[in-house]
C-alpha cells in the first residue's frame, strides 16, 4: 500500500473502518463525525454528530453486511479527500441491494473526520 | 426554487447544465473545469482541464442521453458544494445503464467550477 497516493491510503482506510464499524456496531460511528457534519440518507438530511448517529442507530434492521464493489478517492483543493463507494449490502434476511455512498474527509486536529456523507440505495437504477 | 438552500440551488443548477452540455456537445464541457480539477472515470484518473476534456471527448459513442433519478447536495466546511447524482444513460443503441457521479463544486473568482468529478457505471450493482 506504500506506493499508493496518500489520499487513496487515507480514503480506503476510512472506508474499511467505516463499514467494519457499521457492520459490527453502528451506534459507535459517532467518533468519525463532528457537530458540523452533514448526512443525506436517501434524500433526508441530518446535521451534527448526535442527529447522524441517532439516524444510523434507528435504521430498521438488526444485522447488516456491506461489501465494496468499487471505491474512488481524490484530493480536493482544500486538502480534504473525496471518496465515492459503490457496493452491495444485506440487511437481516432482505435480498441483497446495491448502494452508493460518498464522503468528504477532513483533517481536524490531526484526526480525519467525515464532514459530508451521502447515501442512496441503488434500487432505482434497475432500469 | 428560491426557497431551497443556496447549495441546493447551486448544485442542481450545475447538474442540469452539466448533463445538458454533455448530451448536446461534450467537447464544450471544458469551461466547467480548471487546471487543478480531477476526474476519476471508471477508476482511471485524469488531472487538469485538458486531460479531462481529452478523456470525455474520446468516449466511444456518438449520441448520449442522461436521465437523473436522484440528486443530493451538501455544503462543505470549505464553502464548496458536494453533489451526488444517480441516474440512467443511453449511449447510441446500447441498452440503458445506471450510473453514479459525484462532483465537488468550488467558487473561484465568482464562478462555480468543478474541482472534483467521479463517475462509475452502475453495472456491477446488478446483484443477486
Amino acid at each position: 500500500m506504500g506506493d499508493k497516493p496518500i489520499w487513496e491510503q487515507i480514503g480506503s482506510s476510512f472506508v474499511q473502518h467505516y463499514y467494519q464499524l457499521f457492520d459490527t456496531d453502528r451506534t459507535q460511528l459517532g467518533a468519525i463525525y463532528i457537530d458540523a457534519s452533514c448526512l443525506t440518507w436517501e434524500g433526508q438530511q441530518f446535521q451534527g454528530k448526535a442527529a447522524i448517529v441517532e439516524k444510523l442507530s434507528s435504521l430498521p434492521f438488526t444485522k447488516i453486511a456491506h461489501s465494496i464493489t468499487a471505491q474512488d478517492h481524490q484530493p480536493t483543493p482544500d486538502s480534504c479527500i473525496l471518496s465515492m463507494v459503490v457496493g452491495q449490502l444485506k440487511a437481516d434476511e432482505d435480498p441483497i441491494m446495491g448502494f452508493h455512498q460518498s464522503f468528504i474527509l477532513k483533517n481536524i486536529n490531526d484526526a480525519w473526520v467525515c464532514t459530508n456523507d451521502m447515501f442512496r440505495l441503488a434500487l432505482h437504477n434497475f432500469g | 426554487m428560491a426557497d431551497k438552500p443556496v447549495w441546493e440551488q447551486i448544485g442542481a443548477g450545475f447538474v442540469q447544465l452539466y448533463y445538458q452540455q454533455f448530451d448536446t456537445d461534450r467537447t464544450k464541457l471544458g469551461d466547467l473545469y480548471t487546471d487543478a480539477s480531477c476526474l476519476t472515470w471508471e477508476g482511471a484518473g485524469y488531472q487538469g482541464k485538458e486531460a479531462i476534456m481529452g478523456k470525455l471527448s474520446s468516449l466511444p459513442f456518438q449520441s448520449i442521453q442522461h436521465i437523473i433519478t436522484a440528486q443530493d447536495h451538501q455544503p462543505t466546511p470549505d464553502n464548496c458544494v458536494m453533489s451526488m447524482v444517480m441516474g440512467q444513460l443511453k449511449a447510441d443503441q446500447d441498452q440503458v445503464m445506471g450510473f453514479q457521479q459525484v462532483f465537488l463544486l468550488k467558487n473561484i473568482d465568482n464562478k462555480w467550477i468543478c474541482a472534483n468529478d467521479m463517475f462509475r457505471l452502475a453495472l456491477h450493482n446488478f446483484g443477486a
Side-chain angles (χ1 to χ4, degrees):
Chain A
M1 190 137 137
D3 55 346
K4 284 195 184 165
I6 181 85
W7 61 84
E8 212 167 309
Q9 296 180 35
I10 295 161
S12 60
S13 298
F14 172 85
V15 163
Q16 185 183 12
H17 180 63
Y18 176 89
Y19 292 107
Q20 199 166 47
L21 203 46
F22 201 114
D23 291 357
T24 317
D25 180 3
R26 63 187 184 276
T27 65
Q28 305 297 313
L29 281 168
I32 64 158
Y33 297 102
I34 58 172
D35 289 338
S37 299
C38 294
L39 166 69
T40 306
W41 187 273
E42 285 286 324
Q44 241 191 317
Q45 297 187 32
F46 303 88
Q47 187 173 0
K49 186 196 287 240
I52 291 171
V53 172
E54 192 193 331
K55 172 62 184 174
L56 297 179
S57 303
S58 68
L59 289 168
F61 46 78
T62 313
K63 67 183 166 77
I64 185 162
H66 292 81
S67 82
I68 309 304
T69 311
Q71 51 181 305
D72 298 310
H73 309 281
Q74 285 181 2
T76 80
D78 302 293
S79 303
C80 294
I81 292 169
L82 176 64
S83 298
M84 179 171 98
V85 176
V86 184
Q88 297 187 322
L89 60 82
K90 182 163 175 59
D92 292 334
E93 299 311 315
D94 293 349
I96 292 173
M97 289 182 283
F99 74 92
H100 299 292
Q101 194 158 11
S102 302
F103 304 99
I104 289 183
L105 312 178
K106 189 176 171 69
N107 193 306
I108 296 177
N109 299 329
D110 275 334
W112 287 92
V113 297
C114 176
T115 60
N116 298 82
D117 181 351
M118 294 176 172
F119 174 92
R120 287 256 179 201
L121 287 173
L123 287 177
H124 24 43
N125 261 335
F126 288 81
Chain B
M1 190 139 134
D3 56 344
K4 284 193 184 166
V6 65
W7 61 83
E8 215 167 306
Q9 297 180 37
I10 294 161
F14 174 87
V15 163
Q16 186 182 13
L17 177 71
Y18 175 88
Y19 291 107
Q20 199 167 45
Q21 187 66 71
F22 201 113
D23 292 357
T24 315
D25 179 3
R26 64 184 183 276
T27 66
K28 301 276 199 331
L29 283 169
D31 286 350
L32 300 178
Y33 298 98
T34 70
D35 291 337
S37 298
C38 294
L39 167 69
T40 305
W41 187 274
E42 285 285 330
Y46 304 87
Q47 187 172 1
K49 187 194 290 230
E50 198 177 327
I52 292 171
M53 292 316 301
K55 173 62 184 174
L56 296 181
S57 303
S58 68
L59 289 168
F61 46 78
Q62 296 298 315
S63 72
I64 185 162
Q65 195 186 354
H66 292 80
I67 296 166
I68 309 305
T69 313
Q71 51 181 303
D72 297 311
H73 310 282
Q74 285 180 3
T76 80
D78 300 295
N79 300 312
C80 295
V81 175
M82 176 187 184
S83 299
M84 182 169 93
V85 176
M86 296 177 56
Q88 298 187 323
L89 59 82
K90 184 169 173 58
D92 293 334
Q93 299 310 314
D94 293 350
Q95 64 177 39
V96 173
M97 288 182 283
F99 74 92
Q100 181 200 15
Q101 196 157 12
V102 176
F103 304 102
L104 187 67
L105 311 177
K106 188 175 170 71
N107 193 306
I108 296 177
D109 297 332
N110 277 328
K111 202 183 142 202
W112 287 92
I113 57 93
C114 177
N116 298 81
D117 181 352
M118 294 174 170
F119 173 92
R120 288 253 177 203
L121 288 173
L123 287 177
H124 26 42
N125 261 333
F126 286 82

